[in-house]
């Protein structure tokens, strides 16, 4: 395939090109010209001018290397998966809907023996492949590498480089042990089993953490044009004020985003009330105190946020990244979507872990984002379908520090896009592109994906890696991983009565906010 990894000049002709500010129901038909990875022009008539050998100002003396016919197709800005983790890609489909804290113990790296470099590479490629196939051109990977290993970090970054997706990489870290941040765990779990309790990541042993984080940013930032770096404190309650203050300085000095989890579950909210009394039980106050409530910070989930905290987020210009699919699967409740919108908080969307959502599918996420606002607001109103598409593109770009570079198809912006088949039943008849993208399409129609001007998916096939070889390698790696999953599940089964007791006690405490709807009838 000649176009596999070359950039050059690509002409996408005769497609409906989606413009957030244009006619989102029936985007007009136009040609889109890409020159060296950048959108050079979007207008009708470019293809005809080329056929007539007329001068195209944006092209100069260059020739077109590839023409893609987009007749009866939609050209969309690529989605930005603004919250994702590559570390549990191989565990998709392993769990029913279980509470977040049980899932963390079942799925995340600290519960497992150290993985092989081959497994790290395979899972990174597979996760990125799923993202690309469903129209995501940027992924924000808040990745746990535990225990930390330079070789594993290198494997992750190389995998992203090889497959050709745009990646914002943040190493997930904490400097407090996980069990200390879950209410009642240390009280109810017998001493003999307490060593098995862990969080999404545990403190790295023998590592100068501020230095490591700075080194990663500095040494990899010029690695390749599709990679940018970010900082990943797993959640404020797992990090000391000392490390967060240093992080705020590093984020400011290096102009890098900060990604964290906040108030995902009821337990994560209760620990704030219990352990952060000097901040009025608020992690938002804590982040503000350490200098992290800024436009560079993105807070994943933000489910159990109080109205005054939402005000403070809006004032600080910080972002939230909602993950409605994962929140439902881990029984965390529903984020106050309409309040974030009303307060003008930049609201992006993520698909979170592969074993808690369990799909990297922005179509599902947009549909839930648009629909779940109905739980609190029965009257019609935002978010509209077009709002959901903005959240999945331009708002995500802002959280990635890529505002104005990705998220829309305008001259001068990166050529990150996908082409959707409008002859698929999802779009027949074509009544509204925005509404059918959000409410009807499930991802079936994604045919072509271009990242940074490279065709990485053509005719629904990845062009950059050998997908069959990857599948075979994963099958091989699963032989060892399945045994480890089995052992973790047996260990957790033995702790289950205690974990559920901690959960019950958590549910009994009044938090001053409720993100569930109604009460069970039995
Ligand atoms: Zn997450």
């Amino acid at each position: 395939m000649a176009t596999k990894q070359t950039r050059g000049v690509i002409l996408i002709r005769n497609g409906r090109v989606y413009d957030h500010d244009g006619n989102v129901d029936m985007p007009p038909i136009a040609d889109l010209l890409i020159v060296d990875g950048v959108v050079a022009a979007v207008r009708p008539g470019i293809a005809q001018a080329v056929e007539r050998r007329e001068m195209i100002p944006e092209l100069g003396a260059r020739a077109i290397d590839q023409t893609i016919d987009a007749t009866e197709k939609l050209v969309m800005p690529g989605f930005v998966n603004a919250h994702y983790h590559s570390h549990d890609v191989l565990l998709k489909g392993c769990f029913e809907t279980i509470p977040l804290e049980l899932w963390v113990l079942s799925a995340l790296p600290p519960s497992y023996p150290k993985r092989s470099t081959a497994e790290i590479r395979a899972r990174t490629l597979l996760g990125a492949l799923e993202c690309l196939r469903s129209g995501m051109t940027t992924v924000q990977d808040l990745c746990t590498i535990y225990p930390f290993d330079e070789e594993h970090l290198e494997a992750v970054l190389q995998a992203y480089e090889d497959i050709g997706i745009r990646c914002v990489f943040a190493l997930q870290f904490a400097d407090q042990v996980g069990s200390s941040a879950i209410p009642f765990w240390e009280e109810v779990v017998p001493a003999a089993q307490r060593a098995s309790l862990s969080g999404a990541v545990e403190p790295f042993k023998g590592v100068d953490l501020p230095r490591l984080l700075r080194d990663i940013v500095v040494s990899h930032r010029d690695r390749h044009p599709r990679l940018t770096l970010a900082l990943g404190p797993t959640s404020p309650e797992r990090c000391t004020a000392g490390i967060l203050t240093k992080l705020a300085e590093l984020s400011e000095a290096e102009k890098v985003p900060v990604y964290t989890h906040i108030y995902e579950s009821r337990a994560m909210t209760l620990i704030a009330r219990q352990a952060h009394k000097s901040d009025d039980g608020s992690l938002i106050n804590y982040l503000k105190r350490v200098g992290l409530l800024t436009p560079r910070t993105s807070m994943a989930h933000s489910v159990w946020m109080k109205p005054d905290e939402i005000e403070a987020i809006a004032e600080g210009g910080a972002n939230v990244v909602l993950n409605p699919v994962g929140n439902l699967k881990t029984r965390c409740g529903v984020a106050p979507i309409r309040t974030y919108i009303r307060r003008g908080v930049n609201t992006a969307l993520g698909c979170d872990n592969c074993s808690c959502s369990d799909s990297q599918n922005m179509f599902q996420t947009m549909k839930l984002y648009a629909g779940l606002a109905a739980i609190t607001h029965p009257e019609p109103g935002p978010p509209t379908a077009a709002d959901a598409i903005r959240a999945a593109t331009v708002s995500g770009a802002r959280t990635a520090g890529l505002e104005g570079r990705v998220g829309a198809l305008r001259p001068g912006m990166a050529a990150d896009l996908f082409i959707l088949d409008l002859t698929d039943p999802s779009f027949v008849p074509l009544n509204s592109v925005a509404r059918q993208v959000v409410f009807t399409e499930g991802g079936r129609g994604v045919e072509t994906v271009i990242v940074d001007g490279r065709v990485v998916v053509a005719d629904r096939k990845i062009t950059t890696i050998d997908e069959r070889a990857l599948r075979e390698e994963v099958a091989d790696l699963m032989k060892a991983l399945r045994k480890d999953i089995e052992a973790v599940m047996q260990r957790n089964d033995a702790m289950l009565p205690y974990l559920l007791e901690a959960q019950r006690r958590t549910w009994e405490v009044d938090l001053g906010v409720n993100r569930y709807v109604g009460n069970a009838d039995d």
Side-chain angles (χ1 to χ4, degrees), residues 95-146:
F95 312 108
E96 292 295 332
T97 63
I98 50 175
L100 183 82
E101 286 69 29
L102 300 187
W103 165 78
V104 167
L105 267 186
S106 308
L108 298 190
S111 288
Y112 285 77
K114 187 175 177 181
R115 313 320 296 171
S116 67
T117 305
E119 185 178 315
I120 304 271
R121 176 175 167 81
R123 75 190 189 191
T124 311
L125 288 174
L126 187 64
L129 171 61
E130 189 186 352
C131 289
L132 285 169
R133 285 290 310 277
S134 48
M136 296 171 198
T137 50
T138 300
V139 65
Q140 192 286 304
D141 187 1
L142 182 47
C143 181
T144 295
I145 297 175
Y146 187 81

Side-chain angles (χ1 to χ4, degrees), residues 264-328:
E264 181 172 357
S265 68
R266 213 175 187 287
M268 288 170 76
T269 315
L270 177 56
I271 205 74
R273 307 289 190 268
Q274 291 175 338
H276 286 269
K277 291 203 165 70
S278 61
D279 290 306
D280 277 341
S282 164
L283 295 175
I284 294 299
N285 288 348
Y286 182 39
L287 286 177
K288 194 172 177 183
R289 175 160 63 85
V290 297
L292 277 175
L293 200 63
T294 78
R296 281 204 192 85
T297 296
S298 290
M299 294 172 287
H301 305 293
S302 304
V303 175
W304 291 77
M305 204 69 79
K306 290 191 298 181
D308 60 321
E309 294 179 310
I310 295 174
E311 275 312 327
I313 294 169
E315 253 173 54
N319 312 281
V320 300
V321 183
L322 304 181
N323 301 268
V325 182
N327 291 156
L328 293 182

Side-chain angles (χ1 to χ4, degrees), residues 83 85 261 301 352-353:
H83 185 68
H85 308 272
H261 297 86
H301 305 293
D352 211 355
N353 296 74

Side-chain angles (χ1 to χ4, degrees), residues 3-332:
T3 56
K4 187 173 165 183
Q5 278 286 288
T6 53
R7 296 213 293 177
V9 179
I10 300 175
L11 177 64
I12 301 173
R13 62 178 295 276
N14 207 35
R16 293 191 181 276
V17 181
Y18 191 88
D19 177 355
H20 301 291
D21 299 322
N23 183 346
V24 296
D25 295 315
M26 207 57 69
I29 291 171
D31 300 330
L32 188 148
L33 184 68
I34 301 168
V35 178
D36 296 334
V38 175
V39 176
V42 185
R43 61 171 180 268
I46 300 174
Q48 287 93 328
V50 169
E51 279 161 23
R52 291 196 295 261
R53 297 180 184 276
E54 289 170 10
M55 172 76 175
I56 313 284
E58 296 86 353
L59 205 50
R62 302 276 298 270
I64 289 168
D65 299 303
Q66 185 185 9
T67 300
I68 298 172
D69 183 12
T71 303
E72 295 192 283
K73 297 183 200 299
L74 173 68
V75 185
M76 285 287 294
F79 295 132
V80 178
N81 188 356
H83 185 68
Y84 167 75
H85 308 272
S86 63
H87 46 246
D88 60 328
V89 166
L90 302 182
L91 300 187
K92 64 188 69 160
C94 282
F95 312 108
E96 292 295 332
T97 63
I98 50 175
L100 183 82
E101 286 69 29
L102 300 187
W103 165 78
V104 167
L105 267 186
S106 308
L108 298 190
S111 288
Y112 285 77
K114 187 175 177 181
R115 313 320 296 171
S116 67
T117 305
E119 185 178 315
I120 304 271
R121 176 175 167 81
R123 75 190 189 191
T124 311
L125 288 174
L126 187 64
L129 171 61
E130 189 186 352
C131 289
L132 285 169
R133 285 290 310 277
S134 48
M136 296 171 198
T137 50
T138 300
V139 65
Q140 192 286 304
D141 187 1
L142 182 47
C143 181
T144 295
I145 297 175
Y146 187 81
F148 180 73
D149 184 327
E150 284 282 353
E151 192 179 304
H152 287 184
L153 170 66
E154 178 58 29
V156 172
L157 299 181
Q158 191 60 48
Y160 283 122
E161 190 170 342
D162 292 345
I163 200 162
I165 200 168
R166 194 180 295 281
C167 173
V168 186
F169 177 87
L171 178 71
Q172 181 153 243
F173 68 87
D175 67 346
Q176 302 283 287
V177 295
S179 59
S180 66
I182 308 293
F184 310 114
W185 266 13
E186 291 187 339
E187 269 175 63
V188 300
V189 177
Q193 284 156 297
R194 240 172 265 157
S196 304
L197 299 172
S198 58
V201 64
E202 290 298 317
F204 302 137
K205 293 183 183 85
V207 166
D208 178 345
L209 189 57
R211 189 172 171 176
L212 173 70
L213 299 172
R214 190 176 182 284
D215 282 355
I216 291 173
V217 169
V218 171
S219 60
H220 294 288
R221 66 181 159 199
D222 297 321
R223 186 186 177 112
H224 69 82
R226 281 175 285 96
L227 175 72
T228 48
L229 281 303
L231 302 165
T234 181
S235 52
E237 70 274 16
R238 297 280 316 279
C239 295
T240 58
I243 190 73
L244 291 181
T245 304
K246 285 199 176 93
L247 214 62
E249 290 164 8
L250 184 58
S251 166
E252 175 62 28
E254 301 294 334
K255 312 286 181 235
V256 287
V258 176
Y259 297 103
T260 192
H261 297 86
I262 193 160
Y263 297 149
E264 181 172 357
S265 68
R266 213 175 187 287
M268 288 170 76
T269 315
L270 177 56
I271 205 74
R273 307 289 190 268
Q274 291 175 338
H276 286 269
K277 291 203 165 70
S278 61
D279 290 306
D280 277 341
S282 164
L283 295 175
I284 294 299
N285 288 348
Y286 182 39
L287 286 177
K288 194 172 177 183
R289 175 160 63 85
V290 297
L292 277 175
L293 200 63
T294 78
R296 281 204 192 85
T297 296
S298 290
M299 294 172 287
H301 305 293
S302 304
V303 175
W304 291 77
M305 204 69 79
K306 290 191 298 181
D308 60 321
E309 294 179 310
I310 295 174
E311 275 312 327
I313 294 169
E315 253 173 54
N319 312 281
V320 300
V321 183
L322 304 181
N323 301 268
V325 182
N327 291 156
L328 293 182
K329 188 150 185 281
T330 52
R331 299 177 180 247
C332 281

